[in-house]
Amino acid sequence: MSEARFGWDDEALAAAPRLFEAGLFEGQVAMVSGAGSGIGKAIAFLYARLGARLVICGRDRAKLDACEPWLRKLGSPDVLVCPTDIRRPAEVESLLDATYAHFGRLDVQVNNAGGQFPKAALDISPNGWKAVIDNNLNGTWSMMHAAARRWRDGGKPGSIINIVLTFQRGFPGVAHSCAARAAVTYLSKTVAVEWAQHQIRVNCVAPGVIESSGFKQYSDEARAQFPRANPMLRQGDVQDIAHAVVYLTAPSGKFITGELLNVDGGGVLWGDLWTIPKPAYFSQGQAQ
């Protein structure tokens, strides 16, 4: 199954309208995790088009290697590919070591790597729960903690964006991810205050129903009802998230920290979104 089936392919991402000034991130280094596909790739592509030098990481070396030439073609003067399992703190430290050895600096960190699988909460196994928490919460913490310590020790400012999800009304079918992403959001709000003294800003972006390669893990039934999950009655796209991330990390976001930006078409105010088949109870009123 090609990535183009859900969302934007490489050519479309490369040709997408650019809303920010060319060269906006010249001289800066941006790190994007999970950059080999989907939302992470869109974010990396946009930073490249704005002149940033890039560090891309993820667990799939082949996807990162396929992404790297596109980033150079789009305008990034230097790209460092670092396969990394963010669940392993030692690998995260090696990633930051490699970044500073190669570039001598880091300006922006976008923690997009993560993931979940749709499953009724009662059917999530202990290992399944642990895997999602380790990836989405513990891995994100390891990344932001490692970056912030280097900024503090070097007396340099920095900006962190954590990609979460719209958890405010709960998210049936992904209880594990909902728990992890809510934790990341309030972790981010806490350290945004603690780290302000070091000129480190920390914000979160919460995608709603965003058409990307991640759609393939959901059933046809679930995907069919996604557009009705917000009052705009449509899906967003990966560019919506990329532009939100750049807005918060560019000078446009210089007075913003500790915030959660929902990019969901108003979904947190509306709708009934399930990532698993909706139980008959909710239409028939009968206990299961």
Side-chain angles (χ1 to χ4, degrees):
M1 180 182 297
S2 68
E3 182 173 342
R5 176 179 172 183
F6 300 113
W8 296 37
D9 61 19
D10 293 347
E11 288 80 3
L13 281 176
R18 184 174 56 208
L19 306 183
F20 299 91
E21 182 180 0
L24 182 61
F25 284 88
E26 282 184 4
Q28 296 190 52
V29 177
M31 174 184 290
V32 182
S33 68
S37 62
I39 289 173
K41 179 186 282 188
I43 294 168
F45 269 44
L46 184 53
Y47 275 118
R49 297 177 73 195
L50 298 174
R53 292 177 285 172
L54 280 158
V55 184
I56 57 172
C57 63
R59 283 184 284 171
D60 191 327
R61 177 74 195 234
K63 288 183 178 180
L64 297 174
D65 285 342
C67 187
E68 187 263 352
W70 273 101
L71 299 177
R72 294 184 184 275
K73 178 181 178 182
L74 290 171
S76 179
D78 198 357
V79 180
L80 178 63
V81 176
C82 289
T84 305
D85 185 343
I86 64 170
R87 298 171 299 180
R88 300 179 182 276
E91 291 193 27
V92 171
E93 291 294 336
S94 294
L95 167 67
L96 270 293
D97 288 343
T99 298
Y100 277 84
H102 188 84
F103 293 113
R105 64 186 292 168
L106 177 66
D107 300 281
V108 173
Q109 183 188 71
V110 182
N111 293 312
N112 166 77
Q116 58 273 330
F117 53 89
K119 180 78 71 171
L122 287 174
D123 296 329
I124 297 174
S125 69
N127 284 339
W129 176 270
K130 184 176 184 299
V132 172
I133 298 298
D134 275 351
N135 210 10
N136 295 346
L137 174 55
N138 298 334
T140 298
W141 165 246
S142 293
M143 290 283 285
M144 58 195 293
H145 187 248
R149 286 173 64 89
R150 283 167 172 76
W151 287 326
R152 179 202 63 184
D153 295 346
K156 301 294 185 181
S159 180
I160 296 172
I161 301 294
N162 294 321
I163 305 298
V164 291
L165 55 69
T166 50
F167 59 83
Q168 294 92 322
R169 300 176 63 205
F171 213 133
V174 286
H176 39 21
S177 189
C178 192
R181 307 296 193 168
V184 167
T185 300
Y186 283 91
L187 166 63
S188 300
K189 289 178 178 290
T190 299
V191 298
V193 175
E194 289 193 23
W195 297 349
Q197 63 185 310
H198 306 298
Q199 301 302 304
I200 300 169
R201 295 188 300 111
V202 186
N203 291 290
C204 295
V205 172
V209 177
I210 300 295
E211 187 174 2
S212 75
S213 57
F215 263 31
K216 63 180 178 290
Q217 68 180 314
Y218 301 110
S219 67
D220 291 342
E221 178 185 354
R223 290 196 298 267
Q225 52 93 35
F226 282 171
R228 299 191 297 274
N230 64 75
M232 297 184 76
L233 299 179
R234 61 180 176 85
Q235 297 160 171
D237 61 55
V238 292
Q239 287 293 105
D240 294 320
I241 306 305
H243 283 122
V245 168
V246 166
Y247 169 76
L248 288 170
T249 57
S252 48
K254 65 184 175 60
F255 198 50
I256 302 173
T257 195
E259 286 300 319
L260 169 65
L261 175 57
N262 295 309
V263 185
D264 69 339
V268 296
L269 308 174
W270 163 286
D272 184 20
L273 180 60
W274 288 72
T275 59
I276 57 175
K278 191 174 182 179
Y281 169 84
F282 294 100
S283 59
Q284 301 174 10
Q286 299 176 357
Q288 300 297 302

